Amino acid sequence: MLTIIYFMVYYLGLPLILLYFYLRFRSQREFISFFENLDNRECKENKEKREQAENKRYWLKIIFVVILIVFLSSWHLVTSELADIRMRTEIEFGFGGVYTENPVVVSLGPTYDVSKVIEIMKSKKERWLPGKVKEVVDLESLTNFKGIIAVYRTYDQRYIITYTYLSPYPLIKSFGFKYVKTDDDQLKIIKKDKRTIFYPLSPGIVDKTAKLLS
């Protein structure tokens, strides 16, 4: 249910806000024009009603700006949550029918505390493989702009990093690699991948990063 709500906010939030206020503004503009075109015999009463309508229109503009700012400033958070939900929800087919499972074995984030995540990755090298990550993405350069970072390792030997930029327009960059363990117990990258996801693309695309599809 939460996923559906997030998707509705992601895809319909901005169009519905713009459409709603467009219709309200148009209705009030027509209302004001109606009083401006009336006969002057009721000039005083018409003037008062027109002023009331103009005052309502003024406050409607303020409400519109506030709602738009709040929405645009939180749109990236909804985008990040959708990407995270999709990373943790994989559709599988079996003898019992269709089911979902979580392919993520271990993860960090999503979080705004980017420096802490990078610090953990560097300090726990066996788990977070900072040397291999460096072959795929320069984290220091990536995180020059504010955003939300998430790091995942999956059961099918994928390592994925997503970075959702703190911007008024949804933008995610995902980097990942598929790896295997060699005979001498070393990890070898067999596929590298990077994706840029922006509205109206689905944030769920991140789960395909570095995936070997048959």
Side-chain angles (χ1 to χ4, degrees), residues 107-126:
S107 64
L108 296 171
T111 177
Y112 289 102
D113 197 345
V114 177
S115 57
K116 184 177 180 180
V117 168
I118 294 176
E119 185 181 321
I120 292 172
M121 292 169 67
K122 289 179 178 178
S123 64
K124 298 183 178 180
K125 295 183 179 181
E126 289 189 5

PDB file of all heavy atoms in Angstrom, residues 107-126:
ATOM      1  N   SER A 107      23.083  -3.880   3.546  1.00  0.00           N
ATOM      2  CA  SER A 107      22.924  -2.563   2.923  1.00  0.00           C
ATOM      3  C   SER A 107      23.297  -1.454   3.899  1.00  0.00           C
ATOM      4  O   SER A 107      23.357  -1.656   5.116  1.00  0.00           O
ATOM      5  CB  SER A 107      21.486  -2.367   2.451  1.00  0.00           C
ATOM      6  OG  SER A 107      20.598  -2.357   3.556  1.00  0.00           O
ATOM      7  N   LEU A 108      23.515  -0.276   3.336  1.00  0.00           N
ATOM      8  CA  LEU A 108      23.700   0.958   4.090  1.00  0.00           C
ATOM      9  C   LEU A 108      22.737   1.988   3.513  1.00  0.00           C
ATOM     10  O   LEU A 108      22.664   2.161   2.306  1.00  0.00           O
ATOM     11  CB  LEU A 108      25.140   1.477   3.951  1.00  0.00           C
ATOM     12  CG  LEU A 108      26.266   0.614   4.524  1.00  0.00           C
ATOM     13  CD1 LEU A 108      27.622   1.178   4.091  1.00  0.00           C
ATOM     14  CD2 LEU A 108      26.183   0.559   6.038  1.00  0.00           C
ATOM     15  N   GLY A 109      22.008   2.674   4.375  1.00  0.00           N
ATOM     16  CA  GLY A 109      21.083   3.691   3.893  1.00  0.00           C
ATOM     17  C   GLY A 109      19.770   3.093   3.422  1.00  0.00           C
ATOM     18  O   GLY A 109      19.485   1.935   3.707  1.00  0.00           O
ATOM     19  N   PRO A 110      18.985   3.920   2.723  1.00  0.00           N
ATOM     20  CA  PRO A 110      19.298   5.273   2.231  1.00  0.00           C
ATOM     21  C   PRO A 110      19.383   6.300   3.364  1.00  0.00           C
ATOM     22  O   PRO A 110      18.607   6.247   4.309  1.00  0.00           O
ATOM     23  CB  PRO A 110      18.134   5.593   1.287  1.00  0.00           C
ATOM     24  CG  PRO A 110      17.031   4.668   1.700  1.00  0.00           C
ATOM     25  CD  PRO A 110      17.646   3.477   2.303  1.00  0.00           C
ATOM     26  N   THR A 111      20.327   7.234   3.213  1.00  0.00           N
ATOM     27  CA  THR A 111      20.562   8.228   4.236  1.00  0.00           C
ATOM     28  C   THR A 111      21.181   9.491   3.646  1.00  0.00           C
ATOM     29  O   THR A 111      21.866   9.429   2.622  1.00  0.00           O
ATOM     30  CB  THR A 111      21.489   7.667   5.327  1.00  0.00           C
ATOM     31  OG1 THR A 111      21.771   8.690   6.288  1.00  0.00           O
ATOM     32  CG2 THR A 111      22.800   7.187   4.743  1.00  0.00           C
ATOM     33  N   TYR A 112      20.925  10.618   4.327  1.00  0.00           N
ATOM     34  CA  TYR A 112      21.570  11.872   3.942  1.00  0.00           C
ATOM     35  C   TYR A 112      23.019  11.932   4.447  1.00  0.00           C
ATOM     36  O   TYR A 112      23.795  12.752   3.982  1.00  0.00           O
ATOM     37  CB  TYR A 112      20.806  13.065   4.531  1.00  0.00           C
ATOM     38  CG  TYR A 112      19.467  13.343   3.905  1.00  0.00           C
ATOM     39  CD1 TYR A 112      18.285  12.951   4.531  1.00  0.00           C
ATOM     40  CD2 TYR A 112      19.366  14.017   2.693  1.00  0.00           C
ATOM     41  CE1 TYR A 112      17.049  13.220   3.972  1.00  0.00           C
ATOM     42  CE2 TYR A 112      18.129  14.297   2.123  1.00  0.00           C
ATOM     43  CZ  TYR A 112      16.975  13.887   2.766  1.00  0.00           C
ATOM     44  OH  TYR A 112      15.748  14.154   2.204  1.00  0.00           O
ATOM     45  N   ASP A 113      23.342  11.079   5.423  1.00  0.00           N
ATOM     46  CA  ASP A 113      24.669  11.110   6.038  1.00  0.00           C
ATOM     47  C   ASP A 113      25.675  10.382   5.139  1.00  0.00           C
ATOM     48  O   ASP A 113      26.124   9.265   5.433  1.00  0.00           O
ATOM     49  CB  ASP A 113      24.618  10.471   7.426  1.00  0.00           C
ATOM     50  CG  ASP A 113      25.827  10.843   8.277  1.00  0.00           C
ATOM     51  OD1 ASP A 113      26.817  11.348   7.702  1.00  0.00           O
ATOM     52  OD2 ASP A 113      25.794  10.613   9.497  1.00  0.00           O
ATOM     53  N   VAL A 114      26.019  11.021   4.053  1.00  0.00           N
ATOM     54  CA  VAL A 114      26.876  10.413   3.032  1.00  0.00           C
ATOM     55  C   VAL A 114      28.277  10.138   3.568  1.00  0.00           C
ATOM     56  O   VAL A 114      28.853   9.073   3.331  1.00  0.00           O
ATOM     57  CB  VAL A 114      26.951  11.324   1.787  1.00  0.00           C
ATOM     58  CG1 VAL A 114      27.902  10.740   0.748  1.00  0.00           C
ATOM     59  CG2 VAL A 114      25.569  11.518   1.192  1.00  0.00           C
ATOM     60  N   SER A 115      28.841  11.092   4.309  1.00  0.00           N
ATOM     61  CA  SER A 115      30.205  10.932   4.810  1.00  0.00           C
ATOM     62  C   SER A 115      30.329   9.733   5.745  1.00  0.00           C
ATOM     63  O   SER A 115      31.342   9.018   5.725  1.00  0.00           O
ATOM     64  CB  SER A 115      30.657  12.205   5.529  1.00  0.00           C
ATOM     65  OG  SER A 115      29.779  12.528   6.590  1.00  0.00           O
ATOM     66  N   LYS A 116      29.298   9.478   6.544  1.00  0.00           N
ATOM     67  CA  LYS A 116      29.323   8.327   7.454  1.00  0.00           C
ATOM     68  C   LYS A 116      29.317   7.015   6.671  1.00  0.00           C
ATOM     69  O   LYS A 116      30.032   6.066   7.020  1.00  0.00           O
ATOM     70  CB  LYS A 116      28.131   8.379   8.401  1.00  0.00           C
ATOM     71  CG  LYS A 116      28.154   7.258   9.444  1.00  0.00           C
ATOM     72  CD  LYS A 116      26.988   7.380  10.403  1.00  0.00           C
ATOM     73  CE  LYS A 116      27.021   6.249  11.432  1.00  0.00           C
ATOM     74  NZ  LYS A 116      25.883   6.346  12.392  1.00  0.00           N
ATOM     75  N   VAL A 117      28.509   6.955   5.625  1.00  0.00           N
ATOM     76  CA  VAL A 117      28.454   5.747   4.795  1.00  0.00           C
ATOM     77  C   VAL A 117      29.810   5.479   4.147  1.00  0.00           C
ATOM     78  O   VAL A 117      30.309   4.344   4.156  1.00  0.00           O
ATOM     79  CB  VAL A 117      27.360   5.884   3.711  1.00  0.00           C
ATOM     80  CG1 VAL A 117      27.486   4.767   2.675  1.00  0.00           C
ATOM     81  CG2 VAL A 117      25.985   5.858   4.344  1.00  0.00           C
ATOM     82  N   ILE A 118      30.427   6.510   3.596  1.00  0.00           N
ATOM     83  CA  ILE A 118      31.736   6.345   2.962  1.00  0.00           C
ATOM     84  C   ILE A 118      32.779   5.915   3.995  1.00  0.00           C
ATOM     85  O   ILE A 118      33.639   5.067   3.715  1.00  0.00           O
ATOM     86  CB  ILE A 118      32.164   7.655   2.269  1.00  0.00           C
ATOM     87  CG1 ILE A 118      31.219   7.958   1.101  1.00  0.00           C
ATOM     88  CG2 ILE A 118      33.601   7.570   1.771  1.00  0.00           C
ATOM     89  CD1 ILE A 118      31.486   9.268   0.406  1.00  0.00           C
ATOM     90  N   GLU A 119      32.673   6.465   5.192  1.00  0.00           N
ATOM     91  CA  GLU A 119      33.595   6.090   6.266  1.00  0.00           C
ATOM     92  C   GLU A 119      33.445   4.610   6.628  1.00  0.00           C
ATOM     93  O   GLU A 119      34.433   3.899   6.827  1.00  0.00           O
ATOM     94  CB  GLU A 119      33.311   6.966   7.494  1.00  0.00           C
ATOM     95  CG  GLU A 119      34.273   6.757   8.644  1.00  0.00           C
ATOM     96  CD  GLU A 119      33.933   7.640   9.827  1.00  0.00           C
ATOM     97  OE1 GLU A 119      33.553   8.805   9.604  1.00  0.00           O
ATOM     98  OE2 GLU A 119      34.036   7.160  10.967  1.00  0.00           O
ATOM     99  N   ILE A 120      32.201   4.133   6.723  1.00  0.00           N
ATOM    100  CA  ILE A 120      31.940   2.722   7.032  1.00  0.00           C
ATOM    101  C   ILE A 120      32.489   1.822   5.923  1.00  0.00           C
ATOM    102  O   ILE A 120      33.104   0.784   6.183  1.00  0.00           O
ATOM    103  CB  ILE A 120      30.433   2.471   7.219  1.00  0.00           C
ATOM    104  CG1 ILE A 120      29.930   3.164   8.492  1.00  0.00           C
ATOM    105  CG2 ILE A 120      30.129   0.977   7.280  1.00  0.00           C
ATOM    106  CD1 ILE A 120      28.425   3.133   8.673  1.00  0.00           C
ATOM    107  N   MET A 121      32.285   2.235   4.674  1.00  0.00           N
ATOM    108  CA  MET A 121      32.775   1.450   3.543  1.00  0.00           C
ATOM    109  C   MET A 121      34.299   1.312   3.575  1.00  0.00           C
ATOM    110  O   MET A 121      34.851   0.264   3.264  1.00  0.00           O
ATOM    111  CB  MET A 121      32.318   2.094   2.228  1.00  0.00           C
ATOM    112  CG  MET A 121      30.819   2.006   2.000  1.00  0.00           C
ATOM    113  SD  MET A 121      30.242   3.026   0.623  1.00  0.00           S
ATOM    114  CE  MET A 121      31.010   2.175  -0.754  1.00  0.00           C
ATOM    115  N   LYS A 122      34.975   2.377   3.967  1.00  0.00           N
ATOM    116  CA  LYS A 122      36.436   2.354   4.015  1.00  0.00           C
ATOM    117  C   LYS A 122      36.961   1.557   5.205  1.00  0.00           C
ATOM    118  O   LYS A 122      38.016   0.926   5.114  1.00  0.00           O
ATOM    119  CB  LYS A 122      36.978   3.781   4.072  1.00  0.00           C
ATOM    120  CG  LYS A 122      36.813   4.555   2.765  1.00  0.00           C
ATOM    121  CD  LYS A 122      37.346   5.971   2.891  1.00  0.00           C
ATOM    122  CE  LYS A 122      37.228   6.725   1.575  1.00  0.00           C
ATOM    123  NZ  LYS A 122      37.699   8.144   1.705  1.00  0.00           N
ATOM    124  N   SER A 123      36.203   1.585   6.312  1.00  0.00           N
ATOM    125  CA  SER A 123      36.671   0.910   7.522  1.00  0.00           C
ATOM    126  C   SER A 123      36.384  -0.595   7.512  1.00  0.00           C
ATOM    127  O   SER A 123      37.103  -1.377   8.130  1.00  0.00           O
ATOM    128  CB  SER A 123      36.040   1.547   8.767  1.00  0.00           C
ATOM    129  OG  SER A 123      34.633   1.371   8.758  1.00  0.00           O
ATOM    130  N   LYS A 124      35.332  -1.011   6.815  1.00  0.00           N
ATOM    131  CA  LYS A 124      34.975  -2.434   6.743  1.00  0.00           C
ATOM    132  C   LYS A 124      35.194  -2.926   5.314  1.00  0.00           C
ATOM    133  O   LYS A 124      34.252  -3.180   4.565  1.00  0.00           O
ATOM    134  CB  LYS A 124      33.525  -2.635   7.193  1.00  0.00           C
ATOM    135  CG  LYS A 124      33.303  -2.214   8.644  1.00  0.00           C
ATOM    136  CD  LYS A 124      31.883  -2.485   9.098  1.00  0.00           C
ATOM    137  CE  LYS A 124      31.700  -2.105  10.564  1.00  0.00           C
ATOM    138  NZ  LYS A 124      30.333  -2.359  11.056  1.00  0.00           N
ATOM    139  N   LYS A 125      36.470  -3.069   4.983  1.00  0.00           N
ATOM    140  CA  LYS A 125      36.850  -3.334   3.592  1.00  0.00           C
ATOM    141  C   LYS A 125      36.365  -4.691   3.081  1.00  0.00           C
ATOM    142  O   LYS A 125      35.983  -4.810   1.917  1.00  0.00           O
ATOM    143  CB  LYS A 125      38.369  -3.236   3.455  1.00  0.00           C
ATOM    144  CG  LYS A 125      38.915  -1.842   3.710  1.00  0.00           C
ATOM    145  CD  LYS A 125      40.420  -1.779   3.502  1.00  0.00           C
ATOM    146  CE  LYS A 125      40.938  -0.365   3.732  1.00  0.00           C
ATOM    147  NZ  LYS A 125      42.403  -0.250   3.527  1.00  0.00           N
ATOM    148  N   GLU A 126      36.361  -5.690   3.913  1.00  0.00           N
ATOM    149  CA  GLU A 126      35.958  -7.019   3.452  1.00  0.00           C
ATOM    150  C   GLU A 126      34.487  -7.056   3.065  1.00  0.00           C
ATOM    151  O   GLU A 126      34.096  -7.776   2.150  1.00  0.00           O
ATOM    152  CB  GLU A 126      36.245  -8.056   4.541  1.00  0.00           C
ATOM    153  CG  GLU A 126      37.728  -8.340   4.732  1.00  0.00           C
ATOM    154  CD  GLU A 126      37.962  -9.521   5.649  1.00  0.00           C
ATOM    155  OE1 GLU A 126      36.967 -10.167   6.058  1.00  0.00           O
ATOM    156  OE2 GLU A 126      39.130  -9.795   5.958  1.00  0.00           O
TER     157      GLU A 126
END
